[in-house]
Amino acid sequence: MNQTEAAGAARLVESPEEIRRVVQAARRTGLRVGFVPTMGALHAGHRSLIEQARHDCDVVVASIFVNPTQFAPHEDLSKYPRPLEADLRLCSGAGADLVFHPSVPAMYPAGMSTVVRVEGLTRGLEGASRPTHFQGVTTVVLKLFSVVPADVAYFGQKDFQQQAVLRKMVADLCLPIEIVVCPTVREPDGLALSSRNVYLSPTERQQALELSAALRRTMTQLEQGVRDIPALQRELRDRLVAAPGVVLDYATLADPQTLEELSSWQPSVVALVAARVGTTRLIDNMVFGRWQ
Ligand code: PAF
């Protein structure tokens, strides 16, 4: 028994066949299984997803798999942080029973030629600058759902387009899994937690605060009854374009289901932003009204 196991830690499983067997056996006895897919480099945002699964379910599985197919050639897959020991500690501390940590060949056997692509929703926003990204995400998540046949899977609101794309995939393919989206976890000063925040210098971290501050201002205006969507959108963009150190990619007010940009008022609105701060690309969003 190693040190982690002695501490009553989550059980590490590397084989897809084994994790499927364990999950199927649990469900056969009537236990509800919750699943939190991740790429590791875990922070308090991931912790909140595992804690929610722990609260809702009898058995909690987290996965740690840095999925190569969602990285573009210029995005450095080899530099993606992989602090496995710390990740396992976080999973155990948050209440995971099992951590699935497959190898790349286990998830992508030689000659694999199947991909999963959700049309429409993946075209704009992140999809515009990362054209192959969502195909990588949907392909790996469908495969993870097949290997970890849980009752419910948890994703963060922070990756707003990702959760919309995954919910569409589940609906379109009638997958027998429920999707729960949990709120974005923020630092006390508003910065949305992200595995990429470690790349920010202290100055850049300060500059990055403008993203959440600009979104918060838009939400406040909506809460105060401002209904001129084009003006709100212009103001959000202008504020971010003028922010020192922030290179804006997009800032938009959209429909939370279709992600289509809005030209007029409606009762639910998502404000989405993406920008580069230094060499780090950050995204954030906030929602006004009911959306799920
Ligand atoms: O959000 C992530 O960490 C990843 O995109 C996911 C959903 C685990 C797929 O690799």
Side-chain angles (χ1 to χ4, degrees):
M1 186 180 285
N2 67 30
Q3 229 176 6
T4 338
E5 283 165 344
R11 179 172 149 208
L12 184 63
V13 177
E14 292 181 347
S15 142
E17 293 75 21
E18 189 184 347
I19 194 76
R20 182 187 271 136
R21 247 193 328 268
V22 174
V23 171
Q24 283 175 337
R27 290 192 64 187
R28 264 198 303 276
T29 64
L31 297 177
R32 183 169 169 80
V33 179
F35 179 33
V36 182
T38 82
M39 295 214 300
L42 305 180
H43 50 65
H46 300 104
R47 169 182 278 275
S48 75
L49 301 179
I50 298 172
E51 286 172 347
Q52 188 63 50
R54 178 76 280 158
H55 175 266
D56 299 346
C57 301
D58 304 303
V59 176
V60 176
V61 183
S63 65
I64 298 175
F65 179 65
V66 182
N67 173 33
T69 64
Q70 66 189 80
F71 288 77
H74 66 275
E75 295 171 344
D76 202 344
L77 169 66
S78 65
K79 284 218 180 96
Y80 197 83
R82 292 165 171 84
L84 185 60
E85 280 302 314
D87 285 348
L88 291 175
R89 275 196 300 278
L90 185 143
C91 289
S92 301
D97 300 299
L98 296 139
V99 176
F100 176 48
H101 179 53
S103 66
V104 172
M107 291 302 284
Y108 293 105
M112 175 163 161
S113 57
T114 303
V115 295
V116 181
R117 195 169 68 232
V118 172
E119 306 281 5
L121 273 179
T122 56
R123 239 192 324 266
L125 304 170
E126 292 304 288
S129 58
R130 308 176 75 195
T132 57
H133 172 70
F134 286 116
Q135 178 172 306
V137 172
T138 42
T139 301
V140 83
V141 171
L142 184 65
K143 181 136 188 180
L144 286 167
F145 285 174
S146 154
V147 172
V148 183
D151 295 275
V152 48
Y154 295 82
F155 295 93
Q157 186 193 321
K158 159 81 169 25
D159 293 302
F160 196 87
Q161 190 174 11
Q162 172 173 278
Q163 64 76 33
V165 168
L166 291 174
R167 289 198 296 150
K168 184 83 171 86
M169 174 183 82
V170 165
D172 284 355
L173 300 180
C174 296
L175 299 179
I177 192 161
E178 184 190 331
I179 301 285
V180 170
V181 181
C182 299
T184 303
V185 177
R186 297 181 181 279
E187 302 278 10
D189 58 12
L191 184 70
L193 293 193
S194 162
S195 304
R196 293 182 177 175
N197 291 352
V198 296
Y199 300 129
L200 298 169
S201 71
T203 306
E204 289 165 353
R205 193 196 169 289
Q206 201 55 34
Q207 293 168 331
L209 290 179
E210 195 53 42
L211 270 64
S212 53
L215 287 169
R216 169 70 14 239
R217 163 114 184 111
T218 303
M219 291 299 117
T220 303
Q221 289 170 300
L222 287 167
E223 282 152 18
Q224 288 169 345
V226 179
R227 296 293 179 253
D228 186 343
I229 294 289
L232 285 173
Q233 186 152 275
R234 238 180 352 261
E235 200 181 309
L236 178 65
R237 273 186 197 144
D238 289 351
R239 182 168 171 164
L240 287 168
V241 165
V246 173
V247 180
L248 185 63
D249 179 354
Y250 59 78
T252 185
L253 301 188
D255 178 284
Q257 309 303 328
T258 65
L259 304 184
E260 297 288 340
E261 187 165 282
L262 297 177
S263 52
S264 60
W265 159 252
Q266 64 171 43
S268 58
V269 176
V270 58
L272 300 139
V273 298
R276 221 165 261 290
V277 180
T279 55
T280 309
R281 190 164 186 284
L282 298 174
I283 57 173
D284 200 355
N285 68 82
M286 290 185 193
V287 186
F288 176 81
R290 276 177 68 89
W291 66 281
Q292 59 162 348

